[in-house]
Amino acid sequence: MENKTEVGQEKDQISLLMPYQMGRFQLSHRIVLAPLTRQRSYNYVAQPHAVLYYSQRATKGGFLLSEACGVSDTAQGYPDTPGIWTKEQVEAWKPIVDAVHAKGAVFFCQIWHGGRVSNTEFQPNGQAPISCTDKGLAPQVRAAGVDVARFTSPRRLRADEIPQVVNDFKLAARNAIEAEPINTEGLSRTGAGLIALEITEAITTEIGAYRVGMRLSPFANYMECGDSNPKALGLYMAEALNKYELLYCHVVEPRMITVDEKSDCPHSLVPMRKAFKGTFVVAGGYDREDGNKAVAENRADIVAYGRHFLANPDLPRRFEINAPLNKYNRETFYLSDPVVGYTDYPFLEEIS
C-alpha cells in the first residue's frame, strides 16, 4: 500500500533517501535499479538506445544494476539479451557506462549463465544447453503472457568442464571492468552449490572483492529450481560468502513466489541479513512504504526496485516528495522496440 503522507515530506525523514556508504562507493540514497531483462540488445550486443534508458534512471550517488549479461556463447537463453564475452559487446557497453557515470551514478553489471533455461536455437552449433542436470524443463508461458518458451533437454556438465564455466565468469568480470569500469554482480539462479563459491573466488581474485556482489534467490521456484530447504540454503550461502568479503549480497524476498505472486513475510531474510557482513540488498515487489520500513527496521541497507523503477525513471524524486507513480505496462516489458515500454515512461516534469 502506498504511503499517504503529504507530498513534500522532508527528504531526511525518509530512510530510503538517507545516504549510505557501500564499501568505497558513496550512495546518496538507497533506491537501487534492479537488474531487469529488457530484450533490446540485438544479436546479443547492447544498443545505443540503452544509453538513454540507463542514463534516465541514473542520479548522482544512485546505484544501478544492469540487465543480466551472458558470460559466454553457451550462457544465452532469451532473444536479444546482452552478452559481455566478446570485444564487440564490451565496446557497446562503454557509451552506456559513460552516460551513467556522467550523471554521477554507480553502475554494476550483472553477469549470469542461463543453464538449462535455453534451447538449441541459442546455443553454439545448435548444441544442447549445458546444466548441472539432464532433466528438461516444461514449456513456459513468457511474462508477456503471449508466446510460449520451449526448452531443449540439457546436457549434464562433466566435472572436468566446470573450470571452463568458472573461467567464463572470471573473463566476463574482467570485461566488465574494461567497460570503464562497471564492476560486477554474479547471479546464482538457485543460490545453491559449490560452483557459485568457485565462481565467487575466481571473480574476486580477478577484479577485487570491493567490486563484486552476489544475487541469491534461495526461495524462488522459477523455472523449477526450488530447493527443499531454502532457509538453510540461504543462510549457508550468506555465511559462506563472508569468506570472500563481497561488497554486497542481493537477495530476493520469498514473498515473490513467482513473477506475479506476492505474499507478506517481512522478517524472512533477517537471518541472512544478520549473517552476511557486507551490504545487504533486498528486492521483491517493494513499494515506497515497505521499502522504507525495511531500511528503517534495519532489515536491509538498500532496496532494489524493478517494475516501479522501469515505469518511473525519476523514482527517487517521486519517493522524496511522495508523488504518484506511473503504472507499468507488463505487455511492453519485453518488446524489441527501442522506445516503447523502454524510454517512453514520463518524468514528473513532463506530466505537469
Side-chain angles (χ1 to χ4, degrees), residues 129-326:
I130 57 173
S131 179
C132 60
T133 178
D134 55 11
K135 181 183 177 183
L137 285 169
Q140 304 269 340
V141 176
R142 294 280 197 205
V146 182
D147 57 321
V148 176
R150 302 187 183 279
F151 308 100
T152 306
S153 293
R155 176 178 69 81
R156 186 194 296 267
L157 205 62
R158 301 189 311 269
D160 66 311
E161 294 176 301
I162 292 175
Q164 179 59 54
V165 176
V166 173
N167 195 57
D168 288 340
F169 273 87
K170 183 177 78 170
L171 294 178
R174 170 53 55 193
N175 286 343
I177 298 304
E178 187 183 331
E180 286 297 312
I182 343 181
N183 309 290
T184 62
E185 172 180 90
L187 171 62
S188 173
R189 178 162 284 177
T190 64
L194 292 175
I195 190 171
L197 299 180
E198 283 187 48
I199 289 168
T200 301
E201 182 168 14
I203 291 176
T204 53
T205 301
E206 182 71 14
I207 66 172
Y210 73 96
R211 287 171 156 167
V212 181
M214 173 73 81
R215 173 164 167 160
L216 302 172
S217 305
F219 296 93
N221 193 30
Y222 181 67
M223 293 297 179
E224 303 171 24
C225 69
D227 190 82
S228 58
N229 193 345
K231 289 183 180 178
L233 172 63
L235 187 58
Y236 166 78
M237 285 298 294
E239 291 172 339
L241 290 174
N242 285 328
K243 172 185 174 182
Y244 306 100
E245 300 182 335
L246 293 191
L247 177 63
Y248 66 85
C249 184
H250 176 190
V251 188
V252 180
E253 283 274 8
R255 61 182 179 172
M256 296 308 292
I257 301 166
T258 67
V259 173
D260 301 305
E261 293 180 79
K262 177 179 170 180
S263 62
D264 245 348
C265 43
H267 301 287
S268 53
L269 299 183
V270 169
M272 293 179 70
R273 161 45 161 188
K274 289 181 177 178
F276 185 71
K277 295 178 181 177
T279 292
F280 199 71
V281 188
V282 297
Y286 282 91
D287 58 19
R288 180 181 186 270
E289 182 178 4
D290 55 10
N292 194 59
K293 197 172 180 182
V295 174
E297 295 178 355
N298 199 31
R299 289 184 278 113
D301 295 306
I302 51 184
V303 181
Y305 288 86
R307 288 164 287 190
H308 286 317
F309 219 149
L310 165 62
N312 298 272
D314 53 355
L315 188 66
R317 173 62 178 161
R318 290 180 190 248
F319 277 6
E320 180 182 350
I321 63 173
N322 203 13
L325 301 183
N326 297 326

